[in-house]
């Protein structure tokens, strides 16, 4: 059992010392209560030390996310990756992890397409703004009324591009938040149930 816990500690080296101590204390007590004292028996009950470390890191990330919410400094991509790897390390959850990865990949592709389209529209609006202002300035003496209309239209396009930029930023932020919430929900509903059933 001690060899198993020592290997587990090595795989948890990127967590805080408090989280490592809590995890090692919990699993040592769990194994002692279950009467499991050999390395093979530990693997049979909890998986390899590397697999268990992935689940522990995911648990810590989920708990940190629930406590810190959107203020959590860890990037959404890293958060999702750690949840995905933790789920993939449990053979029963491997198909679900694949579905989760496919759904998120599809949504990311959709978001990228929307972002590219939005960037093109914003660029078009800005080019039209510059063109209208340039035309208005160069033709102010000849077509005064049309120049004023061109300036107004250009300012409207500038405003529209600014609004669209704000909307795109909000969309990306909301998408990142949704990925975290969805990953957390899936992880909580699957892995935690399995762990509860095993203990």
């Amino acid at each position: 059992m001690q060899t198993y816990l020592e290997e587990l500690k090595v795989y948890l080296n990127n967590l805080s010392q408090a989280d490592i101590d809590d995890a090692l204390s919990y699993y040592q007590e769990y194994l002692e209560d279950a009467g499991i004292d050999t390395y093979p028996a530990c693997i049979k009950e909890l998986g390899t030390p590397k697999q268990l470390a992935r689940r522990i890191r995911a648990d810590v990330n989920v708990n940190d996310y629930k406590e810190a919410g959107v203020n959590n400094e860890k990037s959404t991509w890293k958060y999702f990756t750690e949840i995905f790897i933790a789920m993939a390390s449990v053979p029963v959850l491997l198909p679900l992890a694949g579905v989760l990865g496919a759904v998120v990949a599809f949504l990311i592709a959709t978001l990228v397409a929307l972002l590219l389209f939005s960037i093109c529209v914003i660029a078009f609006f800005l080019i039209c703004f510059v063109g209208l202002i340039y035309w208005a300035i160069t033709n102010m003496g000849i077509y005064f009324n049309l120049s004023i209309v061109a300036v107004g239209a250009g300012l409207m396009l500038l405003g529209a591009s600014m609004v669209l930029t704000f909307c795109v930023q909000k969309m990306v932020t909301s998408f990142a938040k949704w990925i975290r919430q969805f990953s957390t929900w899936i992880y909580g509903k699957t892995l935690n149930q399995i762990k509860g059933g095993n203990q």
Side-chain angles (χ1 to χ4, degrees):
M1 177 176 66
Q2 287 306 317
T3 304
Y4 184 90
L5 292 173
E6 286 169 10
E7 285 186 28
L8 178 62
K9 184 177 181 179
V10 171
Y11 287 116
L12 294 175
N13 63 358
N14 59 341
L15 294 180
S16 70
Q17 191 59 48
D19 288 332
I20 293 172
D21 292 342
D22 288 346
L24 291 175
S25 173
Y26 172 81
Y27 282 103
Q28 180 169 359
E29 185 178 327
Y30 172 79
L31 292 170
E32 287 173 354
D33 289 347
I36 299 170
D37 57 359
T38 65
Y39 188 87
C42 291
I43 290 178
K44 184 177 180 182
E45 179 70 17
L46 300 172
T48 67
K50 189 172 186 177
Q51 290 172 332
L52 181 58
R54 288 173 178 164
R55 293 195 297 274
I56 292 169
R57 282 197 304 269
D59 283 339
V60 169
N61 285 329
V62 168
N63 291 334
D64 288 349
Y65 174 69
K66 287 178 179 176
E67 290 173 10
V70 294
N71 297 321
N72 193 322
E73 294 180 359
K74 183 170 287 203
S75 74
T76 297
W77 180 247
K78 186 172 181 183
Y79 178 84
F80 170 75
T81 302
E82 289 182 359
I83 294 284
F84 178 79
I85 289 172
M87 290 177 66
S89 69
V90 180
V92 174
L93 297 181
L94 194 54
L96 185 60
V99 170
L100 175 63
V103 168
V104 171
F106 172 76
L107 292 174
I108 288 173
T110 303
L111 179 68
V112 168
L114 285 171
L115 285 176
L116 290 175
F117 176 75
S118 300
I119 289 169
C120 290
V121 171
I122 291 169
F124 176 74
F125 283 175
L126 291 176
I127 290 168
C128 289
F129 164 73
V130 171
L132 286 169
I133 296 300
Y134 175 78
W135 185 89
I137 291 171
T138 56
N139 293 292
M140 186 70 75
I142 304 170
Y143 305 107
F144 180 76
N145 290 341
L146 285 177
S147 296
I148 296 299
V149 171
V151 168
L155 291 175
M156 285 177 60
L157 288 172
L158 179 62
S161 67
M162 293 171 74
V163 169
L164 188 55
T165 301
F166 175 77
C167 291
V168 167
Q169 180 186 5
K170 281 292 187 185
M171 181 177 64
V172 170
T173 303
S174 297
F175 182 76
K177 183 179 178 184
W178 183 85
I179 284 182
R180 283 179 175 236
Q181 290 173 340
F182 182 67
S183 301
T184 302
W185 180 77
I186 289 286
Y187 183 76
K189 292 293 182 186
T190 55
L191 186 59
N192 287 340
Q193 285 180 355
I194 287 176
K195 284 169 59 180
N198 288 341
Q199 294 179 11

